[in-house]
């Protein structure tokens, strides 16, 4: 019997319009609670956005910031921030790269100094608490989890090499959703978040299932006992799936969870 379900949000659990069938999920979640099954929202987004998406219940655990911020329901387990001095060094380097837009994820707020209306519109969709600054290098007092970079696809390899050359193993650069790159502490990912939650609740990886669609879900999909990938997923991720499920716009995650619930939370396929 499974005891923990972890689901990536954007492109997996959520439809493209960032909604989900709230009524349908609540019915599933009630069955989870009746059977002691934990649900984890796992995302590169901030804790505040994830919490707002499941405001009907505070028993949902959260892996935010791609594993840098982990909460077992309301209890904070992990807050793996990057030192402010290193953030300043990284921002100084990034500002030398042409056509780059920067979003800085803090514990209290997200920050940007972008003047691009399309970028600001996108950022406001994904960051509940966004502050637009005159100069992002003038760092506010906060605890910083990651830097998200939006830049042309032909610049991504170059930027990754520049960051890794200057900071080596002290920083990790990962592809994230919507064509972005994330810079965060090394050895941090959604699987490390699952491991901490598993330790907290005494749940083994074999008792977990995970849903994901992009490269920042790779470690989580590999860590969990069973992995499910929606039909709209990045082709490189499909090979990790025990089963390809219907797309995010077809509510593939909810359909799979209903199948599990009907089979007493055992693998139903």
């Amino acid at each position: 019997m499974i005891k923990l379900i972890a689901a990536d949000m954007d492109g997996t659990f959520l439809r493209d319009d960032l909604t989900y069938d709230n009524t349908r999920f609540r019915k599933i979640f009630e069955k989870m609670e009746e059977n002691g099954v934990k649900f984890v929202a796992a995302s590169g987004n901030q804790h505040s956005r994830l919490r707002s998406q499941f405001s009907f219940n505070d028993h949902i655990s959260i892996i935010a910031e791609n594993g840098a911020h982990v909460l077992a329901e309301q209890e904070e387990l992990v807050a793996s921030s990057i030192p402010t001095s290193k953030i300043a060094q990284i921002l100084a380097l990034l500002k030398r790269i042409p056509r780059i837009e920067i979003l800085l994820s803090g514990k209290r707020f997200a920050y940007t100094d972008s003047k691009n209306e399309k970028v600001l519109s996108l950022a406001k969709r994904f960051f509940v608490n966004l502050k637009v600054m005159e100069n992002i290098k003038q760092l506010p007092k906060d605890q910083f989890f990651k830097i998200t970079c939006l830049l042309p696809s032909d610049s991504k390899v170059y930027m990754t090499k520049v960051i890794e050359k200057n900071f080596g193993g002290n920083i990790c650069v990962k592809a994230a959703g919507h064509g972005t790159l994330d810079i965060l502490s090394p050895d941090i990912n959604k699987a490390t978040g699952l491991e901490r939650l598993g330790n907290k609740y005494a749940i083994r990886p074999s008792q977990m299932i995970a849903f994901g669609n992009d490269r920042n879900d790779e470690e989580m999909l590999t860590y969990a006992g069973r992995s499910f990938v929606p039909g709209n997923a990045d082709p490189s991720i499909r090979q990790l799936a025990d089963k390809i499920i219907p797309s995010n716009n077809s509510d593939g995650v909810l359909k799979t969870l209903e199948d599990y619930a009907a089979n007493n939370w055992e693998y139903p396929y």
Side-chain angles (χ1 to χ4, degrees):
M1 174 180 168
I2 64 165
K3 293 186 177 181
L4 186 148
I5 296 158
D8 169 60
M9 294 289 105
D10 300 318
T12 303
F13 186 87
L14 300 176
R15 302 164 183 150
D16 289 347
D17 64 0
L18 305 183
T19 66
Y20 65 95
D21 190 330
N22 191 288
T23 301
R24 187 178 179 185
F25 178 68
R26 286 191 188 203
K27 291 178 180 178
I28 297 168
F29 189 73
E30 286 176 5
K31 294 178 181 178
M32 290 183 200
E33 292 208 298
E34 289 170 3
N35 289 272
V37 179
K38 303 291 185 182
F39 182 79
V40 181
S43 175
N45 290 307
Q46 287 181 302
H47 156 259
S48 55
R49 178 180 180 236
L50 298 174
R51 190 63 75 193
S52 71
Q53 290 170 327
F54 299 98
S55 57
F56 69 90
N57 194 296
D58 58 8
H59 292 170
I60 289 172
S61 294
I62 286 176
I63 297 173
E65 310 286 7
N66 282 330
H69 196 196
V70 181
L71 294 98
E73 299 180 6
Q74 300 297 313
E75 179 188 352
E76 184 176 79
L77 297 183
V78 178
S80 182
S81 58
I82 303 171
T84 301
S85 59
K86 187 163 291 180
I87 289 285
Q89 294 171 4
I90 297 169
L91 290 177
L93 184 63
L94 292 177
K95 281 294 188 178
R96 302 206 297 265
I97 299 175
R99 298 181 295 162
I100 192 170
E101 302 287 353
I102 300 169
L103 291 161
L104 178 60
S105 291
K107 189 172 186 178
R108 296 172 57 242
F109 296 97
Y111 307 89
T112 186
D113 59 2
S114 176
K115 305 301 186 290
N116 185 311
E117 288 300 325
K118 289 185 177 179
V119 171
L120 291 174
S121 177
L122 179 67
K124 288 172 183 177
R125 290 182 70 197
F126 294 100
F127 294 94
V128 174
N129 300 319
L130 179 69
K131 283 196 171 186
V132 181
M133 306 174 64
E134 188 62 33
N135 185 348
I136 200 170
K137 291 195 292 183
Q138 297 174 348
L139 291 172
K141 290 184 178 180
D142 205 338
Q143 190 174 356
F144 303 110
F145 294 123
K146 67 180 175 70
I147 300 171
T148 298
C149 303
L150 295 85
L151 69 172
S153 57
D154 59 0
S155 301
K156 290 178 181 177
V157 173
Y158 168 73
M159 193 209 82
T160 301
K161 288 181 179 178
V162 168
I163 293 294
E164 290 178 345
K165 178 182 178 181
N166 282 270
F167 296 98
N170 296 316
I171 287 294
C172 174
V173 181
K174 291 188 70 68
H178 304 279
T180 62
L181 290 177
D182 281 347
I183 301 170
L184 62 164
S185 297
D187 304 319
I188 290 292
N189 52 63
K190 293 179 184 180
T192 61
L194 275 187
E195 183 179 18
R196 289 298 297 270
L197 288 168
N199 291 339
K200 167 70 177 177
Y201 293 123
I203 298 174
R204 301 185 302 275
S206 61
Q207 297 171 306
M208 302 177 183
I209 63 172
F211 298 85
N213 78 309
D214 216 332
R215 293 180 182 179
N216 62 343
D217 299 313
E218 183 175 356
E219 294 91 350
M220 177 175 73
L221 293 171
T222 303
Y223 183 81
R226 297 273 187 185
S227 58
F228 300 90
V229 171
N232 56 288
D234 185 297
S236 66
I237 298 301
R238 294 170 67 92
Q239 63 184 349
L240 301 177
D242 288 293
K243 181 176 175 61
I244 303 296
I245 62 174
S247 73
N248 63 319
N249 287 326
S250 299
D251 297 337
V253 173
L254 297 186
K255 173 64 169 65
T256 306
L257 296 183
E258 287 169 339
D259 290 345
Y260 262 98
N263 199 45
N264 295 316
W265 303 102
E266 298 286 352
Y267 185 66
Y269 304 115

